[in-house]
């Protein structure tokens, strides 16, 4: 059990509207109806394939609910999280991404823990993938207990529940049969015997079932031979919906979430638990991920984004940030969401120390870091005096890479050290990783998509005004000073005046966002960008003036066109 939490934290948790606390309150209410000393959380995993981004999402979100529950109960109720592997399932088809496919084809139908490992590293294919799952979860620091379906079946851990289900066989069939077409219903059995000779998990109708003896009778469709098989000791397993229900019942699972595509399965399994005399777990159905075209992500299609791809360009914390936000809303999961998600995470991390408990518990970083988010890594510019420091955003690093046309992290660190002489990878390790991510993302996505345009006459005057302003401020001007004077340049130009701005007056108009869009498009080749004062301070005042001069001379447009041509692209990527 956890140590008691600060009273202010517990009080804020009781009224927090963050979804993990709303979910955790379901568990508090459940305990009031069904008191117990321990709350069990579960996530399920099918080991016929490797862990994927959905696996991460489910364990991360469940962990968030677990921590929220611990705070609500002031650490007085013990909690456990089981990562359950359905490794006794029969291998239905040979995966495309494994070696020795012919060998696997010979083992079709056998439990995954009886299928030979095509990689040759473990006693079975199921154990190979289980090891990958555990390494995957361990790499992210999840606190969990691993559970193997094969071990639970064969050890007798499920025996009592299996015998109980056999005794309630008719009630289970009454729930399941209406969900099938007539042909399937005629042959359906919740119990799947393991063939005593071939080891195959048999999909066969039952000839008889005997609750007193604890056995089922069935006929081998190939030989016509009849067998009587105990339902205990790993001699048979259950179809997956009854299996899910049996597991909930046997282990007394209190919480398990599932994807929206499993809503009907959750309902059916819940009905079976009730038929067994148990209480289905709490939980919710999260929305599925979509690709950039709004299509459901599918492992077989290969659309969308893999966890390996995300972690090439961004941190695990940013992925957890993506999982935290609106889990019941469909979200597009593709490369373009990475920069915004990273910067959202950094913004929340930066805000956390200044927030009262109520706001902290709505801040994703509290949930991502299980109540102990790290301090932001900031850079201190000599010209900013006692300022709190600047958090370097992913967008800022991408734009630095863009203007330098560099895929070398050392080049970006050169800018960072000039801005803040004490900065170094050794004392800013998370920033150093961010630099690496930004360089990789720039190399693979940003550079080809940039679209520079030449400024028109009004824009040329505005750009020259910005350059002259920077010259007047000097090389050591800070971000806030530059940003303030940018507004002064823009508000003198009719095109960029905004008289509807909150503090605008006829004598002192506001500044339209069109001004900053113009800067991004002409200087950075982007539709949007970071706060321009921060960018100019970080990139350097002389360098920013040189960038403006190159834009006015048409050099940026010509250089990018030459780069695209060198890559075999005749026009900017859409």
């Amino acid at each position: 059990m956890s140590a008691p939490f600060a009273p202010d934290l517990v009080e804020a948790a009781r009224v927090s509207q963050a979804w993990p606390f709303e979910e955790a309150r379901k568990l508090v209410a459940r305990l009031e109806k069904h008191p117990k000393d321990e709350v069990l959380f579960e996530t399920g995993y099918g080991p016929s394939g490797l862990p994927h981004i959905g696996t991460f999402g489910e364990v991360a979100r469940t962990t968030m609910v677990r921590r929220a529950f611990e705070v609500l109960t002031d650490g007085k109720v013990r909690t456990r999280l089981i990562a359950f592997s359905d490794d006794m399932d029969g291998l239905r088809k040979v995966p495309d991404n494994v070696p020795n496919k012919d060998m696997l084809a010979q083992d079709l139908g056998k439990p995954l823990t009886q299928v030979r490992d095509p990689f040759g590293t473990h006693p079975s294919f199921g154990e190979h993938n289980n090891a990958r799952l555990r390494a995957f979860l361990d790499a992210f620091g999840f606190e969990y207990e691993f559970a193997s379906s094969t071990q639970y079946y064969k050890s007798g851990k499920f025996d009592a529940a299996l015998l109980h289900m056999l005794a309630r066989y008719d009630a289970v069939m009454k729930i399941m049969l209406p969900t099938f077409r007539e042909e399937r219903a005629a042959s359906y059995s919740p119990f799947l015997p393991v063939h005593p000779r071939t080891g195959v998990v048999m999909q066969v109708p039952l000839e008889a079932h005997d609750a007193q003896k604890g056995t089922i009778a069935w006929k081998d469709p190939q030989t016509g031979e009849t067998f009587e098989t105990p339902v205990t000791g790993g001699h048979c397993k259950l179809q997956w919906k009854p299996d899910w229900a049996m597991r909930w019942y046997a282990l007394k699972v209190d919480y398990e979430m599932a994807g929206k595509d499993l809503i009907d399965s959750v309902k059916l399994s819940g009905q079976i638990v009730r038929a067994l005399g148990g209480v289905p777990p709490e939980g919710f159905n999260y929305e599925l991920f979509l690709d950039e075209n709004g299509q459901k992500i599918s492992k077989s299609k290969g659309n969308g984004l893999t966890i390996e791809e995300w972690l090439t360009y961004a941190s695990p914390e940013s992925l957890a940030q993506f999982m935290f936000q609106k889990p019941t809303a469909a979200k597009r999961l593709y490369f373009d969401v990475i920069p915004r998600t990273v910067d959202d995470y950094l913004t929340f991390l930066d805000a956390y120390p200044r927030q009262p408990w109520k706001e902290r518990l709505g801040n994703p970083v509290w949930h991502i870091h299980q109540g102990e988010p790290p301090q932001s890594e900031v850079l201190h510019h000599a010209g900013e005096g006692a300022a709190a420091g600047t958090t370097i955003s992913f967008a800022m690093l991408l734009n630095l890479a863009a203007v330098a046309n560099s895929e070398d992290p050392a080049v970006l660190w050169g800018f960072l050290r000039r801005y803040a002489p004490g900065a170094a990878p050794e004392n800013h390790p998370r920033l150093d990783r961010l630099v690496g991510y930004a360089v990789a993302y720039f190399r693979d996505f940003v550079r080809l998509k940039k679209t520079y345009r030449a400024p028109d006459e009004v824009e040329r005057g505005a750009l020259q005004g910005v350059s002259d302003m920077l010259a007047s401020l000097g090389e050591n001007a800070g971000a806030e000073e530059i940003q303030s004077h940018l507004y002064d340049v823009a508000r003198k130009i009719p095109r960029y005046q905004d008289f509807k701005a909150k503090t605008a007056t006829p004598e002192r108009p506001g500044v339209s966002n069109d001004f900053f869009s113009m800067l991004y498009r002409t200087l950075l080749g982007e539709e949007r960008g970071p706060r321009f004062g921060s960018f100019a301070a970080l990139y350097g005042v002389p360098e920013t003036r040189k960038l403006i001069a190159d834009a006015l001379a048409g050099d940026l447009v010509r250089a990018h066109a030459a780069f695209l041509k060198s890559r075999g692209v005749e026009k900017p990527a859409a």
Side-chain angles (χ1 to χ4, degrees):
M1 290 186 288
S2 304
F5 296 93
D8 290 349
L9 167 59
V10 177
E11 187 61 33
R14 288 176 181 147
V15 296
S16 176
Q17 295 182 353
W19 69 262
F21 283 103
E22 292 180 343
E23 289 299 301
R25 278 191 280 273
K26 294 180 187 177
L27 285 165
V28 173
R30 179 186 180 91
L31 281 191
E32 292 173 354
K33 292 181 181 178
H34 310 284
K36 56 188 298 193
D37 297 330
E38 176 185 272
V39 166
L40 182 64
F41 296 80
E42 183 183 66
T43 61
Y45 167 72
S48 58
L50 298 178
H52 53 84
I53 206 161
T55 309
F56 173 90
E58 192 164 308
V59 179
R61 287 166 172 165
T62 302
T63 298
M64 292 173 186
V65 177
R66 181 184 181 186
R67 296 307 176 205
F69 172 79
E70 290 174 347
V71 173
L72 282 177
T73 54
D74 201 19
K76 295 176 181 177
V77 180
R78 194 159 70 99
T79 65
R80 294 165 56 215
L81 169 60
I82 288 182
F84 197 94
S85 171
D86 293 314
D87 58 18
M88 201 169 163
D89 282 353
L91 179 66
R92 295 178 179 85
K93 64 178 182 178
V94 177
D96 293 329
N97 57 347
V98 298
N100 297 314
K101 293 180 184 179
D102 291 343
M103 182 182 76
L104 279 189
Q106 296 171 20
D107 289 345
L108 283 174
K110 292 182 180 180
L112 289 161
T113 45
Q114 297 301 314
V115 173
R116 288 167 290 177
D117 180 15
F119 298 94
T121 60
H122 291 78
S124 71
F125 189 36
E127 288 166 281
H128 173 93
N129 286 339
N130 284 341
R132 295 289 295 270
L133 170 67
R134 298 177 75 169
F136 175 88
L137 296 177
D138 292 343
F140 294 109
F142 289 120
E143 181 185 331
Y144 70 97
E145 299 171 26
F146 176 77
S148 159
S149 177
T150 299
Q151 195 276 327
Y152 274 42
Y153 269 99
K154 289 190 172 183
S155 69
K157 197 175 186 72
F158 284 155
D159 280 0
L162 289 165
L163 290 170
H164 187 56
M165 183 171 282
L166 187 61
R168 300 289 181 94
Y169 181 89
D170 291 340
V172 173
M173 291 291 279
K174 187 176 180 181
I175 294 167
M176 292 302 302
L177 290 182
T179 67
F180 302 120
R181 294 180 178 176
E182 184 177 351
E183 182 180 352
R184 172 67 171 140
S187 63
Y188 178 81
S189 165
F191 289 90
L192 303 176
V194 178
H195 200 295
R197 296 199 182 99
T198 66
V200 170
V201 179
M202 302 298 293
Q203 295 269 356
V204 290
L206 298 189
E207 299 289 312
H209 61 277
D210 190 328
Q212 293 296 319
K213 294 173 64 177
T215 60
I216 55 175
W218 55 281
K219 184 180 293 184
D220 185 330
Q222 298 296 321
T223 66
E225 186 177 3
T226 299
F227 294 89
E228 186 175 35
T229 300
V231 299
T232 54
H235 296 290
C236 79
K237 76 174 299 293
L238 294 171
Q239 298 270 13
W240 83 270
K241 291 171 188 173
D243 185 86
W244 206 7
M246 182 275 295
R247 197 161 76 220
W248 288 347
Y249 172 79
L251 304 180
K252 295 181 172 57
V253 175
D254 294 292
Y255 191 89
E256 181 162 4
M257 59 180 66
K260 189 176 181 180
D261 56 337
L262 296 179
I263 287 177
D264 290 340
S265 300
V266 170
K267 290 178 180 177
L268 278 173
S269 295
Q271 290 174 29
I272 294 173
V273 172
R274 292 188 184 94
L276 297 176
V279 181
E282 308 300 320
F284 77 97
N285 295 99
Y286 51 83
E287 259 290 1
L288 305 178
F289 299 124
L290 308 176
D291 65 15
E292 59 186 316
N293 299 314
Q295 300 297 311
K296 175 185 170 183
I297 285 178
S298 165
K299 285 188 289 184
S300 60
K301 289 182 182 177
N303 59 336
L305 196 61
T306 69
I307 195 163
E308 292 80 9
E309 288 169 333
W310 185 290
L311 297 179
T312 299
Y313 306 108
S315 67
E317 292 82 11
S318 67
L319 181 56
Q321 164 79 33
F322 184 82
M323 297 298 175
F324 176 86
Q325 299 286 38
K326 299 179 180 178
T328 57
K331 290 186 290 189
R332 297 190 177 189
L333 179 60
Y334 60 106
F335 292 105
D336 285 2
V337 308
I338 290 177
R340 174 64 181 272
T341 304
V342 172
D343 283 344
D344 283 347
Y345 167 77
L346 293 173
T347 298
F348 283 119
L349 187 64
D350 184 61
Y352 183 83
R354 302 186 297 275
Q355 294 176 322
W357 274 119
K358 182 179 179 181
E359 293 180 15
R360 284 184 175 186
L361 296 187
N363 187 325
V365 300
W366 188 92
H367 302 273
I368 291 167
H369 295 284
Q370 301 182 31
E372 297 181 358
Q375 287 187 333
S376 291
E377 289 185 352
V378 298
L379 298 186
H380 296 275
H381 180 48
E384 293 179 333
T390 299
T391 298
I392 304 301
S393 69
F394 197 67
M396 179 74 75
L397 292 172
L398 289 177
N399 280 295
L400 284 176
V403 295
N405 273 322
S406 176
E407 300 171 10
D408 183 357
V411 172
L412 268 64
W413 267 109
F415 290 117
L416 297 174
R417 266 193 287 266
R418 186 178 57 192
Y419 176 81
E426 297 77 32
N427 54 35
H428 289 78
R430 281 183 281 124
L431 177 57
D432 188 44
R433 288 194 291 272
L434 189 65
V435 167
Y437 292 136
V439 165
Y441 193 89
F442 169 71
R443 177 194 65 221
D444 294 341
F445 299 104
V446 174
R447 199 169 186 183
L448 285 171
K449 291 185 177 180
K450 294 174 77 65
T451 307
Y452 290 90
R453 68 168 176 78
D456 62 24
E457 286 306 310
V458 172
E459 293 165 343
R460 292 180 67 85
L463 288 169
Q464 188 60 55
V466 172
S467 181
D468 294 342
M469 175 271 290
L470 291 172
S472 70
L473 295 181
E475 293 187 10
N476 293 321
E480 293 302 323
E481 184 180 16
I482 295 172
Q483 190 73 18
S484 175
H485 283 78
L486 280 171
Y487 284 100
D488 292 337
V489 171
R491 64 171 45 97
K492 296 175 184 177
I493 304 171
R495 178 185 289 185
Y496 302 123
Q497 292 172 349
D498 182 1
F499 292 99
K500 295 181 180 180
K502 188 174 181 180
T503 59
T505 65
E507 296 77 22
R508 186 179 172 80
V511 174
S512 165
N513 286 333
D514 291 345
F515 173 70
F516 295 100
S517 295
M518 178 273 295
L519 295 178
Y520 302 140
R521 289 173 183 275
T522 58
L523 301 180
L524 303 176
E526 301 280 355
E527 293 186 5
R528 59 185 66 86
R531 198 163 183 260
F532 199 81
S534 299
F535 168 78
L538 185 58
Y539 185 51
V541 169
E543 287 74 17
T544 303
R545 294 192 67 215
K546 174 65 165 56
L547 187 66
I548 292 172
D550 289 344
L552 293 173
D555 291 345
L556 298 183
V557 173
R558 285 190 291 270
H560 190 60
F563 164 72
L564 292 177
K565 187 174 181 179
S566 72
R567 292 288 181 92
V569 179
E570 294 301 324
K571 59 181 180 179

